[in-house]
Amino acid sequence: MANISQEKLLETIIRALDSKRAEDIQLIGIRDLTIVADYFVIANGTSNTQTKALADAVEFEMKQLGIEPIRVEGYQGATWIILDYGDIVVHVFYKETRSYYNLERLWSDGEQKDIEEYLSPAD
């Protein structure tokens, strides 16, 4: 994998989601809770089309950095798309599906991080 800082990867993912008007982008640090990943990035779209567009935007921007996901799941139904980048797992939900699974509650022991630092002041 390219030698790019985790901070830069998080910034790239969050800005990609924001650029496509993702709702309620959450960044949860889970490094101390699981070996699955260091961070979950959670966001949602308001339609299946937007949900796919959000995931596409993340994949495109990460590919620009030379980074491919380890695995991708959920494109068919587009209600919960997972992009696994190893230390960072991106969960892109359709709004109702996000409410149903409520990952934020499941991972409430994680560290809620402020995403504002990843978004440029111009946004």
Side-chain angles (χ1 to χ4, degrees):
M1 189 181 284
N3 191 12
I4 300 169
S5 74
Q6 199 173 49
E7 291 295 307
K8 177 64 177 165
L9 298 179
L10 289 169
E11 177 183 315
T12 300
I13 291 165
I14 290 167
R15 286 187 178 195
L17 291 167
D18 187 60
S19 75
K20 296 292 180 194
R21 307 263 186 269
E23 290 188 340
D24 192 19
I25 303 169
Q26 298 284 319
L27 175 59
I28 304 173
I30 58 171
R31 177 182 294 134
D32 298 337
L33 303 176
T34 180
I35 59 168
V36 171
D38 290 347
Y39 292 99
F40 277 170
V41 179
I42 304 171
N44 69 267
T46 56
S47 68
N48 290 25
T49 305
Q50 186 191 20
T51 302
K52 280 184 182 168
L54 291 169
D56 286 344
V58 170
E59 272 200 275
F60 177 81
E61 294 299 333
M62 291 294 274
K63 278 183 182 153
Q64 299 303 302
L65 298 176
I67 298 180
E68 300 278 343
I70 296 166
R71 79 192 163 107
V72 176
E73 291 182 21
Y75 260 101
Q76 292 72 30
T79 57
W80 182 359
I81 300 172
I82 299 170
L83 303 170
D84 182 349
Y85 290 102
D87 291 347
I88 303 167
V89 179
V90 183
H91 298 269
V92 183
F93 284 100
Y94 175 61
K95 194 171 193 165
E96 280 70 23
T97 308
R98 181 178 183 170
S99 300
Y100 179 79
Y101 286 102
N102 198 350
L103 285 189
E104 293 91 333
R105 183 180 49 74
L106 289 174
W107 293 94
S108 60
D109 291 344
E111 180 187 356
Q112 292 286 330
K113 309 272 283 178
D114 184 4
I115 65 160
E116 290 306 314
E117 66 183 276
Y118 298 103
L119 299 171
S120 64
D123 287 350

